[in-house]
Amino acid sequence: MFKNFSAKIEQWLDTRYEISKVKNFIKHKKVPVHKFSLFYYLGGLTLFLFIVQVITGILLLMYYKPGEDSAFESVQFIITEVNFGWLIRNIHSWSANLMIFFAFAHMFSVFFTRAYKKPRELTWVSGMILLALAMFFGFSGYLLPWNELAFFATKVGTDIASVVPFIGDSIKEVLRGGEDVTGATLSRFYGIHVAILPLITTIFLVIHLFFVQKQGMHEPESFEKLPEEKKLYTPFFPNFALKDALLWIIIFNVIIFLALIFPWELGVKADPFASAPAGIKPEWYFMFMFQTLKFIPSHVLFIEGEVLGIMAFGLAILIWIFIPFIKVKEKPNSKIQIMTIVGFIVASFIIIMTILGYMF
C-alpha cells in the first residue's frame, strides 16, 4: 500500500516537474577513481562548512544586538546566559576558519590538477570569487563582537585599504561609514555580513555548483590518457555521496572538539579612545599580505612601499583569477611543468609569510 502511494506521489510530481530527469542524472553520475580522487571532497567540505556557518549564524542573530553600546554585551550574554550559546559561537568561529582553510586547499588542488583548463575557465573564476567572499565574510564578522582586538585590527585593515591608488580613501569611507571606526562601522559591517554577503555568495554558489554539475568531475591528464577499459569510476550516489557525508560528520566532530578544548575568547570591550595594544595582527588568512607589506621599505624609488605592495598584490590576484585564459607552453612529457612550479612558489610564499607573521 505504501509503495503504491509513494509511486503515485512520484508520478504526480514527475508529470509536473520532471523529477525523473533529476533521478536519471543522479543515477548515471559517476566519479573518476585515481590517486587524486581525495581532492574531490574538498569542495564539498567547504560547502558543508558554509552551511554550518549559515545555521549557527542564524542562531546567533536571535540574540545579537548590533550597536556600539550593545554588541559586546549581547555576545557576552550569548556565551554566559544562553543555553549552549558559547558552543554555537565557538562552532561558528571555528567553522569560519576551517571553511576558508578548505577553500584555499580546494583552490590549490584545482590548480595543481589543471582542473581550471578548458572548458572549466568560468568554474575557476566563480570559485575565486567565492574564496574572496569567504575572506570578506571573515573580515566583516571579525568586528561584530566589538572587542579590543577586532576594533584595532579593523582599523588597521581599513587603513591598508585606503592605500589603494585613486579609490582607496573612498573604499575606507564606505567600509567605515565615516572617517573613523565607530558604531557606524559596526552597523555597516553587520549589514554586509548578514545581508549583502550572503546574497552575493548564494548567487555565485548556485552558479559555481551549476558549472560543476554541468561539466562533471575533472579527469586529470594522466587519467584521460588511460585506455577506457583501465579507467575506474565509482557511482556518485550512493558510494561517493556516503563517503562525502562521512567526511562531513568527521569534520563536524573536529569542530566540536576545537570548540570544547580551544574556545574562542571574547576579550575586553573596544574603547575607541584607548591606545592600540602591541602586536595587533589580522586573521591568519590575511597574515601573508600583512607580513609582506611590513617587509617592503617605506619608499621604493618614488613610490610609497605600501602603495607598491597593494598594487603588486592586486596585479597578482588578477593574474591568478585569469590563469585559465593565459596560454603557457609546456613540454607534454616533462616531469616538471612551469605551472606546477608557479603553484608551489605561490603556496610556499603564503605559508612562509604566514609563519613569519606569527613569529615576528
Side-chain angles (χ1 to χ4, degrees), residues 38-275:
L38 186 64
F39 292 155
Y40 291 139
Y41 296 97
L42 295 176
L45 273 177
T46 309
L47 174 62
F48 168 69
L49 291 167
F50 176 71
I51 294 170
V52 172
Q53 283 285 282
V54 171
I55 294 171
T56 54
I58 291 172
L59 293 174
L60 291 172
L61 279 178
M62 293 181 179
Y63 294 94
Y64 179 76
K65 297 177 182 179
E68 198 170 354
D69 299 321
S70 58
F72 182 86
E73 288 76 11
S74 65
V75 176
Q76 197 170 47
F77 177 78
I78 288 170
I79 62 179
T80 57
E81 301 295 333
V82 178
N83 290 334
F84 299 105
W86 60 272
L87 181 61
I88 298 299
R89 179 177 181 261
N90 287 332
I91 290 173
H92 189 75
S93 299
W94 276 112
S95 61
N97 282 270
L98 287 175
M99 180 182 72
I100 295 173
F101 171 79
F102 281 113
F104 268 102
H106 181 46
M107 176 191 71
F108 279 113
S109 71
V110 170
F111 182 86
F112 284 120
T113 56
R114 306 292 198 278
Y116 57 82
K117 288 187 173 182
K118 182 183 178 180
R120 294 177 172 82
E121 299 96 333
L122 293 181
T123 309
W124 168 269
V125 173
S126 62
M128 288 302 303
I129 293 172
L130 286 171
L131 174 58
L133 289 169
M135 294 175 71
F136 199 24
F137 258 118
F139 180 66
S140 60
Y142 195 50
L143 181 65
L144 299 189
W146 197 246
N147 56 30
E148 184 181 61
L149 186 62
F151 175 85
F152 286 105
T154 302
K155 192 176 180 65
V156 171
T158 49
D159 278 335
I160 291 174
S162 68
V163 179
V164 177
F166 306 114
I167 59 172
D169 289 332
S170 298
I171 292 174
K172 184 176 79 170
E173 191 168 344
V174 167
L175 289 174
R176 289 184 174 183
E179 291 295 324
D180 298 311
V181 177
T182 61
T185 312
L186 177 61
S187 298
R188 188 152 296 195
F189 272 46
Y190 174 74
I192 291 171
H193 191 75
V194 305
I196 296 174
L197 285 179
L199 175 61
I200 299 173
T201 301
T202 302
I203 292 170
F204 278 100
L205 185 60
V206 170
I207 292 171
H208 187 71
L209 292 176
F210 171 77
F211 288 155
V212 172
Q213 296 305 319
K214 184 69 176 176
Q215 296 166 337
M217 297 291 193
H218 169 259
E219 297 180 0
E221 292 178 6
S222 57
F223 185 86
E224 286 181 338
K225 293 176 181 178
L226 291 174
E228 286 299 323
E229 62 272 12
K230 290 188 177 182
K231 291 182 178 180
L232 297 177
Y233 294 92
T234 185
F236 179 83
F237 188 84
N239 302 48
F240 184 84
L242 288 175
K243 290 178 183 178
D244 213 6
L246 176 61
L247 192 57
W248 290 11
I249 294 171
I250 292 171
I251 291 298
F252 189 70
N253 277 276
V254 170
I255 294 171
I256 296 295
F257 172 80
L258 292 170
L260 294 174
I261 306 301
F262 304 103
W264 217 260
E265 297 295 333
L266 178 59
V268 299
K269 185 175 180 178
D271 181 4
F273 300 104
S275 57

